[in-house]
Amino acid sequence: MPAASITRFPRQDAIAFAVLAVLILAVFPLALDIFRLNLVGKYLTYAFVAVGLVLCWGYGGILSLGQGIFFGLGGYCMAMFLKLEASSPENTAIQSTPGIPDFMDWNQVTELPWWWVPFNSFPLALIAILLVPTVFAYIIGAAMFKRRVGGVYFAIITQAVAAILTILIVGQQGYTGGINGMTDLRTLLGWDIRTDSAKLILYFVNAGLLLGVILIAILVKRSKLGRILIAMRDKEDRVRFSGYDVANFKIFVFCLAAAFSAIGGAMFALQVGFMSPSFVGIVPSIEMVIFCAVGGRLSIYGAVYGALLVNYAKTTFSESFPELWLFAMGGLFIAVVMAFPNGLAGIWKSYAEPLVSRLVSRRRPLPVVTPTEAAAE
């Protein structure tokens, strides 16, 4: 292996990657029934967003409170293809206008809108899943970063955009499904995605894509780009005076985080079987930031564990004390900020890792030196 590859993927990252891969590819599928495994798969779709936030917020210093925008756009692009497949003339023969989604028929839309037509093609839908959110992120990023808008102002603007997009989706009920979203998503290229075997396959596809995204994030982190992002976060003016175009670097990492989020949204629509504006707005976007903060905004692997832990806690609280979850979420965020600002990864690095190292060094046997070796020394 070339030396450059070794420096980009050191032993510590390799071990952490292997542990995570074994956990999500072997331990969870063997230990959980298909219902719980599908829940874990849903949690992992949020991990795509959290990994993107590590690069964008943790390393680039760009706090986006609107990542639900890109998660939702990716999910809607996938849902549009699935909805069109479920709305074939045979399946919608009882409608007044067969061949269009049911919510369009209910709202007296008599023809498929032109911007829906490309989603009849699966390859075009896959391209749109990546292209539409990334282009949207580029527009937002170019408009803000070229004018040196950042910090709290950028966070508030992304919140406003998330709110506007939610209102737009809800208001255009005849074209988007409105507040109910897109439901009754049944098949993918004729393959029934509601069966247990399909859910198992989709879980592994989701896990594989997440591991691929993690590899990309690690390569970015350990490259020159990663070092520039950290320098921008700490001393932006110094990087600018060194001749780098800070705005372009910010736009790139913001678009990359948007693409990661879009992949997660598309997999969410496939695994859960619906998409609604409730995943686009301000509240889910803030929750996504909390996933990253709990895991550790400087740790790619910590972000994945944070997404799993917070969503598991959300499911548990929602089942037992649904009215208390928002209070628990707020308390968790305050605890992270005040008690352990580097999240779970910081706790591991500060307390658990030194303890493990001491235990390993104690158990490691001393090297045996033969008389010949001693004489040679």
Side-chain angles (χ1 to χ4, degrees):
M1 183 180 293
S5 300
I6 295 173
T7 56
R8 290 187 179 183
F9 206 83
R11 182 172 177 270
Q12 187 176 4
D13 273 335
I15 293 173
F17 183 85
V19 169
L20 180 63
V22 169
L23 181 66
I24 64 177
L25 293 178
V27 176
F28 286 154
L30 292 174
L32 301 175
D33 59 61
I34 193 63
F35 173 76
R36 294 293 174 183
L37 187 65
N38 192 45
L39 275 181
V40 172
K42 185 178 80 169
Y43 303 161
L44 290 177
T45 62
Y46 293 120
F48 287 87
V49 188
V51 170
L53 278 169
V54 169
L55 295 179
C56 186
W57 177 34
Y59 287 91
I62 306 165
L63 176 57
S64 170
L65 296 180
Q67 291 305 103
I69 299 168
F70 314 115
F71 185 87
L73 286 175
Y76 266 96
C77 287
M78 176 60 76
M80 288 167 72
F81 170 78
L82 298 176
K83 190 63 179 177
L84 286 177
E85 186 170 333
S87 304
S88 63
E90 296 78 16
N91 293 334
T92 56
I94 62 172
Q95 294 180 181
S96 57
T97 307
I100 64 173
D102 48 14
F103 56 80
M104 291 186 183
D105 190 62
W106 300 337
N107 288 275
Q108 286 78 52
V109 176
T110 58
E111 186 179 0
L112 193 68
W114 64 268
W115 49 276
W116 269 78
V117 174
F119 291 94
N120 280 304
S121 167
F122 186 57
L124 290 179
L126 291 179
I127 294 171
I129 287 168
L130 290 175
L131 190 62
V132 171
T134 304
V135 170
F136 196 58
Y138 178 82
I139 294 171
I140 296 173
M144 297 297 104
F145 299 137
K146 292 291 185 181
R147 292 168 175 78
R148 299 189 183 181
V149 176
V152 176
Y153 300 103
F154 181 79
I156 293 173
I157 289 170
T158 54
Q159 270 197 329
V161 175
I164 292 169
L165 187 60
T166 304
I167 294 169
L168 181 64
I169 292 173
V170 172
Q172 298 297 316
Q173 182 172 330
Y175 302 105
T176 63
I179 191 67
N180 296 321
M182 297 187 190
T183 58
D184 198 27
L185 309 179
R186 309 170 189 170
T187 60
L188 173 67
L189 300 175
W191 176 48
D192 192 341
I193 60 175
R194 299 169 296 177
T195 64
D196 288 349
S197 60
K199 290 177 180 177
L200 182 63
I201 293 172
L202 288 173
Y203 171 84
F204 282 110
V205 171
N206 184 40
L209 287 173
L210 177 60
L211 293 175
V213 162
I214 290 172
L215 286 174
I216 294 172
I218 291 171
L219 291 176
V220 170
K221 182 187 79 169
R222 303 197 66 82
S223 66
K224 182 180 179 181
L225 172 60
R227 294 192 291 273
I228 293 175
L229 290 176
I230 295 173
M232 286 192 321
R233 180 195 66 195
D234 297 337
K235 296 289 182 181
E236 181 176 322
D237 288 338
R238 183 173 294 180
V239 175
R240 184 177 289 112
F241 294 151
S242 298
Y244 291 100
D245 191 330
V246 171
N248 285 341
F249 285 107
K250 286 187 174 183
I251 292 170
F252 174 80
V253 75
F254 185 56
C255 290
L256 184 63
F260 288 174
S261 300
I263 296 171
M267 291 308 302
F268 179 92
L270 270 175
Q271 291 187 108
V272 179
F274 76 95
M275 196 67 203
S276 80
S278 61
F279 303 106
V280 180
I282 294 174
V283 173
S285 296
I286 294 176
E287 287 183 351
M288 292 167 185
V289 172
I290 294 176
F291 303 157
C292 179
V294 169
R297 68 189 183 98
L298 296 175
S299 172
I300 293 170
Y301 302 105
V304 177
Y305 292 117
L308 289 171
L309 179 63
V310 175
N311 279 285
Y312 172 75
K314 181 179 181 179
T315 301
T316 304
F317 265 88
S318 299
E319 290 175 351
S320 305
F321 310 101
E323 68 281 357
L324 296 179
W325 167 243
L326 289 179
F327 295 99
M329 178 74 83
L332 183 62
F333 187 67
I334 292 171
V336 168
V337 172
M338 298 186 66
F340 47 102
N342 291 324
L344 296 175
I347 294 175
W348 168 262
K349 197 164 189 66
S350 300
Y351 301 102
E353 195 174 83
L355 180 61
V356 172
S357 299
R358 285 198 299 270
L359 291 174
V360 171
S361 61
R362 285 178 184 176
R363 293 184 178 182
R364 187 178 297 162
L366 294 173
V368 178
V369 181
T370 63
T372 304
E373 290 173 340
E377 291 178 358

